[in-house]
Amino acid sequence: MMRRSLILVVLLFCSCLLLGQDKKWEVNGYLKDMQLFYFAEPSHNWTNQNLIHNRLNLKWYPSDSFIFVAEMRNRFFMGKLVKDIPNYGQFIDQDNGFWDLSTLVVDEKGAVFHAMIDRIYLDYLRGKWQIRFGRQRINWGMNLVWNPNDVFNTYSFLNFDYEERPGTDALKVQYYTSETSSLELVYQMGKEANEMAVASRFRFNQWNYDFQILGGWVEDDMILGTGWSGDIYGGGFRGEITWLIPRNNKTKEALIASVSGDYTFLNSLMLNAGFLYNSAGTNDPILQRGLFATNEASPRGLSRGKYAVFSQVSYPVTSLFTSSLSAIVNPWDGSFVLNPSLAYSLMTDLDLLLVGQHFFGSDQTEYGDIGQAVFLRLKWSF
């Protein structure tokens, strides 16, 4: 039933475009082809995967006050990795929203085609008010790498191929109290109480810094947090703190805090460093779950260890070629991941990206026993 609803939504929206050609509408997206070569630990086996990833973004302006948005991602996985992992299609087909807007078009051994609507909402803008209903990205993060304030869509820095990040089925009401401040209220829909959320955020500017204060109930936790973004002597200075207070016995109370600084020199060399503290993490031995394991979708999942350190250096060698090297270290157990990347613009709207994710550490450490991965991605934007 839900799959039929998904198809009907797309057909309805396309009909609206055809019937409303006198109104403004936009269509854009991209097509990617990404190769993965992975040396798995502790099996010491090479494997590979090819991912063809298409995104289609549709936006319609039926009037000056309304905007309708629908965005779909289509992914076709194939290769030895897909063949070797049991139930790979079920692993990919995850939609934790109120509506199930995803479907497995093809689910065969060695080939999986997954389609999903991760944005579909109606936006109303009038004066100082903005009201948005539907599946949307609710981004409360202010930091560059770790975002404890991003309580609706916590996401890993290492998952670089999903720039848009997951959406939330919610009603968001925002009132702009001034040009630099706003009050926001979000109601996340859910079938059960532990899937719902009611939270608010107040943003304002003071001393040339952007600040925010947030609080409410998000699924299993009551939350209270704050964040800031500004600069010191021309360098960026950002931070976020979130306190999670369990509403039941399923989780433990946690304080997650991150702080970062970045500086760009006159020659465009950029340095970035950050620190994460996660009281829900552990200093005990960690049982590794592999490259494709996902942490829980809450700030508790930003790290499995109690502490993490991030560093990055990036430099545009030419206007078309950029190099970068970043590292995430668990200072307690000594494990770390190196993340080099090279990006090259082949021509307008056609980009080539080479990314490495190299994990090092002893047994039962946060980044040990994962292996080495190399991604090669060609992206055409339209």
Side-chain angles (χ1 to χ4, degrees):
M1 181 64 183
M2 193 55 65
R3 295 180 181 180
R4 295 178 183 176
S5 299
L6 185 150
I7 297 173
L8 288 175
V9 166
V10 176
L11 292 176
L12 177 62
F13 184 62
C14 292
S15 298
C16 291
L17 292 176
L18 294 173
L19 294 174
Q21 291 189 8
D22 57 320
K23 305 295 183 181
K24 185 177 180 181
W25 58 279
E26 300 173 4
V27 179
N28 58 58
Y30 55 69
L31 179 64
K32 303 176 183 176
D33 186 357
M34 185 169 71
Q35 300 287 336
L36 163 65
F37 304 95
Y38 178 41
F39 182 73
E41 296 283 3
S43 63
H44 303 291
N45 291 325
W46 280 99
T47 188
N48 70 288
Q49 174 185 274
N50 180 215
L51 168 61
I52 299 175
H53 184 181
N54 162 250
R55 186 172 189 87
L56 183 62
N57 303 323
L58 305 173
K59 187 176 290 187
W60 180 43
Y61 302 85
S63 71
D64 293 337
S65 298
F66 285 95
I67 304 173
F68 182 66
V69 173
E71 301 179 6
M72 171 180 279
R73 65 193 304 233
N74 305 294
R75 296 178 295 165
F76 184 39
F77 302 84
M78 51 190 163
K80 186 176 184 299
L81 182 66
V82 182
K83 183 178 180 180
D84 291 344
I85 296 180
N87 301 316
Y88 191 89
Q90 301 302 318
F91 174 75
I92 295 298
D93 187 26
Q94 297 183 18
D95 189 333
N96 298 321
F98 182 77
W99 301 293
D100 185 1
L101 301 181
S102 68
T103 185
L104 282 171
V105 181
V106 176
D107 187 12
E108 303 292 341
K109 190 173 183 179
V112 172
F113 181 26
H114 181 249
M116 179 179 185
I117 293 179
D118 63 356
R119 300 286 189 279
I120 182 162
Y121 60 83
L122 183 65
D123 220 357
Y124 173 76
L125 302 98
R126 190 77 170 185
K128 297 182 178 182
W129 290 92
Q130 181 178 6
I131 301 174
R132 179 177 294 179
F133 177 72
R135 179 163 295 184
Q136 56 192 284
R137 168 78 174 122
I138 299 175
N139 181 11
W140 284 4
M142 302 184 75
N143 220 332
L144 296 180
V145 179
W146 293 301
N147 300 116
N149 285 177
D150 201 0
V151 293
F152 289 97
N153 292 295
T154 306
Y155 216 64
S156 169
F157 170 79
L158 296 176
N159 197 339
F160 65 92
D161 194 47
Y162 192 12
E163 303 92 332
E164 298 81 12
R165 301 191 177 185
T168 300
D169 297 336
L171 171 66
K172 183 177 74 172
V173 180
Q174 192 166 4
Y175 179 74
Y176 295 90
T177 55
S178 72
E179 293 182 356
T180 58
S181 63
S182 64
L183 180 63
E184 187 174 335
L185 177 66
V186 173
Y187 166 65
Q188 174 183 300
M189 295 172 288
K191 298 179 178 66
E192 305 290 342
N194 62 355
E195 299 174 349
M196 299 179 183
V198 179
S200 62
R201 176 179 69 157
F202 179 56
R203 296 194 65 178
F204 61 96
N205 183 275
Q206 186 68 38
W207 310 305
N208 293 321
Y209 269 66
D210 291 322
F211 292 95
Q212 66 182 21
I213 301 171
L214 53 101
W217 152 39
V218 178
E219 299 179 352
D220 288 324
D221 296 300
M222 302 299 296
I223 64 158
L224 185 63
T226 187
W228 70 88
S229 175
D231 72 271
I232 300 177
Y233 296 110
F237 178 54
R238 300 173 175 85
E240 299 177 26
I241 303 171
T242 300
W243 182 22
L244 302 174
I245 308 166
R247 299 174 48 249
N248 48 47
N249 296 323
K250 293 182 179 180
T251 56
K252 296 182 179 180
E253 183 176 324
L255 181 69
I256 300 96
S258 68
V259 62
S260 71
D262 61 272
Y263 189 83
T264 302
F265 295 88
L266 293 178
N267 64 353
S268 297
L269 175 70
M270 190 275 286
L271 302 178
N272 182 15
F275 176 79
L276 174 72
Y277 169 72
N278 182 0
S279 70
T282 181
N283 288 331
D284 296 328
I286 297 174
L287 181 62
Q288 192 48 250
R289 297 180 297 184
L291 179 66
F292 301 99
T294 56
N295 290 342
E296 59 179 319
S298 106
R300 288 184 179 87
L302 288 173
S303 68
R304 299 184 67 193
K306 196 174 290 289
Y307 310 100
V309 177
F310 174 83
S311 62
Q312 182 182 42
V313 56
S314 177
Y315 181 69
V317 181
T318 69
S319 60
L320 301 177
F321 180 48
T322 300
S323 61
S324 175
L325 175 64
S326 63
I328 300 176
V329 181
N330 181 320
W332 185 265
D333 63 25
S335 65
F336 61 96
V337 52
L338 291 180
N339 187 202
S341 70
L342 298 173
Y344 186 73
S345 177
L346 298 172
M347 59 182 68
T348 302
D349 299 327
L350 187 63
D351 302 296
L352 186 65
L353 178 66
L354 179 65
V355 174
Q357 292 183 357
H358 306 291
F359 299 85
F360 302 93
S362 303
D363 293 346
Q364 298 187 29
T365 59
E366 183 166 9
Y367 298 112
D369 290 336
I370 295 181
Q372 318 301 322
V374 177
F375 303 83
L376 179 63
R377 187 183 78 184
L378 183 66
K379 178 181 179 181
W380 172 54
S381 302
F382 57 85

